[in-house]
Every structure is written in structure tokens, then in C-alpha cells.
Amino acid sequence: SQQGEEDPQALSIQEGENATMNCSYKTSINNLQWYRQNSGRGLVHLILIRSNEREKHSGRLRVTLDTSKKSSSLLITASRAADTASYFCATDAYGNTGKLIFGQGTTLQVKP
Amino acid sequence: DAGITQSPRHKVTETGTPVTLRCHQTENHRYMYWYRQDPGHGLRLIHYSYGVKDTDKGEVSDGYSVSRSKTEDFLLTLESATSSQTSVYFCAISERADTEAFFGQGTRLTVV
């Protein structure tokens, strides 16, 4: 089953613009994580936000979490061509087991 | 990349043959995971391990078995490979159940 649903599935923007990706999930969680995957590579962890947190920043990344709406968003500010990748949200929907359920991802293209 | 090595990186095998994929870590992390990534499905958990000799099933475990006899190694075996198991397989590790996961570079398996 797909716990995380990401929106949009694909996003194309110009360098310097902001990119926003959304993730919705179905069950209660302890934390939600965002990962990036460059073409043909493994996933790289970006940010982990816990259920008692509402917002978290890391460099040009800003993640929000709304547990009442079961949704999260990832904002990339001042995007660069190097940000071109697929972005996935993942939730620990099985309780504190470490097992993650991933969404299908948002493919971001940043045009120079 | 975190100290995670997957082997082999690419493999072509015939239907009905057994296949073993290896994940080796140098981080001494307790948790290890095997995921598969397919178009349209994102990443799905096959099996995971929460310690030496401690393993549990994920959401797509049929046709797969795992073993973990040492902290550093987590083996995934396809008992009798089928074409539906053609996929990219990712190993991941995490220090605790509530921390981020680090992914290997993936193994591309083709079953013909």
C-alpha cells in the first residue's frame, strides 16, 4: 500500500525559482522523512521531521508537517540545476520499527 | 556515501535460478533493510533486520528470504528468480529505528 502520496508527480521550473512538493499520508506517524534520488543513484537523506515538530530548515530546504491534515511539504528555495532529481517522502507507518513507506516521488527538473 | 556496499551492482540471471544479493556496511548500524524500486511503485520494503539473526518481513516479501549472521552483512536471496523480480534493489541502514536511513547505490537485477 502507498502511505505517501506526492504531488505533483512532475515539476519543471527555471533556475532561481522556488519548488514546492507535497506529501500526504494515511496513518499516524512518529516521523516523516524526505529523500532525494539522482538518476541512477541511491537515495540521499534530506530532512527528518518528527511528529511534534511543525517546521524544519536545512540550508535551502524547508519542510513543514501538519499532522492534523496528515500532510507535509518540501520547499526548495532559489533552485539550481543541480537540484534536478526525484524527491520522495517516507513515513514510519509501522510504528517505531524503522520500516519506511515511500511515496512514488516528485520528479523535479530545474532548467538553467 | 555512508559505508554501504552492495554487490553485485548489475546481474542478469535466468528464470528459476537462485540469486543472492549482498549488502555490507562499515557503520556498525543495528538496522538494515532491503527495498526494491520499480516504476510506478516507488520503493517498497522487502525485508528488514533489527539485529544479528533478527529479521522481519516487509510489504513485498514473497519469493525472498534474508539472513544476517553478522552486524555488517545482510543477504537477500531470491529462491527461484522470476521475471517479476526484475528490479533495482536497494540496501539501507539506520542506527536506530527513529533515525534517518542511508542507502547503498543499488543492484540492477534482470531476470530473463
Side-chain angles (χ1 to χ4, degrees):
Chain A
S1 63
Q2 290 292 336
Q3 162 80 328
E5 301 270 342
E6 279 141 301
D7 172 57
Q9 290 190 349
L11 182 60
S12 181
I13 59 175
Q14 296 293 137
E15 248 185 344
E17 295 180 340
N18 295 341
T20 299
M21 289 159 261
N22 302 297
C23 170
S24 61
Y25 57 92
K26 297 174 183 173
T27 64
S28 60
I29 61 172
N30 294 306
N31 67 67
L32 183 146
Q33 304 180 41
W34 285 90
Y35 289 83
R36 184 187 75 231
Q37 184 179 35
N38 291 90
S39 181
R41 305 295 299 272
L43 280 72
V44 174
H45 181 263
L46 296 176
I47 288 184
L48 181 153
I49 186 165
R50 301 195 185 278
S51 59
N52 61 352
E53 298 174 309
R54 291 295 168 260
E55 190 171 309
K56 208 160 183 181
H57 296 255
S58 176
R60 294 183 296 111
L61 306 180
R62 172 180 169 247
V63 167
T64 61
L65 179 63
D66 186 334
T67 53
S68 67
K69 294 181 180 178
K70 291 186 169 61
S71 67
S72 174
S73 67
L74 170 67
L75 169 67
I76 304 174
T77 60
S79 62
R80 306 166 181 167
D83 294 327
T84 294
S86 292
Y87 293 81
F88 296 89
C89 70
T91 54
D92 64 339
Y94 297 104
N96 194 30
T97 62
K99 296 192 288 186
L100 298 175
I101 298 183
F102 284 81
Q104 294 189 24
T106 293
T107 300
L108 172 66
Q109 182 186 29
V110 181
K111 300 175 185 175
Chain B
D1 294 335
I4 307 169
T5 304
Q6 290 186 232
S7 59
R9 292 292 314 279
H10 301 271
K11 185 170 182 67
V12 179
T13 192
E14 293 185 350
T15 298
T17 60
V19 177
T20 295
L21 309 183
R22 180 182 184 234
C23 178
H24 178 78
Q25 61 144 330
T26 58
E27 306 295 325
N28 200 36
H29 283 356
R30 178 182 175 187
Y31 292 82
M32 298 186 76
Y33 315 84
W34 278 107
Y35 290 88
R36 60 178 288 176
Q37 185 175 31
D38 304 288
H41 289 280
L43 277 86
R44 292 179 291 174
L45 181 68
I46 305 170
H47 281 281
Y48 87 115
S49 170
Y50 48 98
V52 174
K53 292 187 174 23
D54 293 321
T55 64
D56 199 2
K57 296 179 180 180
E59 54 183 317
V60 290
S61 59
D62 287 349
Y64 301 94
S65 62
V66 290
S67 67
R68 189 164 178 207
S69 59
K70 299 184 290 184
T71 298
E72 57 266 35
D73 290 325
F74 192 33
L75 303 180
L76 176 71
T77 297
L78 288 65
E79 294 139 11
S80 178
T82 67
S83 58
S84 65
Q85 294 176 312
T86 292
S87 187
V88 180
Y89 291 85
F90 287 99
C91 174
I93 64 173
S94 66
E95 187 172 9
R96 301 194 313 264
D98 63 345
T99 55
E100 67 267 35
F102 299 95
F103 282 77
Q105 290 300 301
T107 294
R108 184 172 295 276
L109 176 68
T110 303
V111 183
V112 298

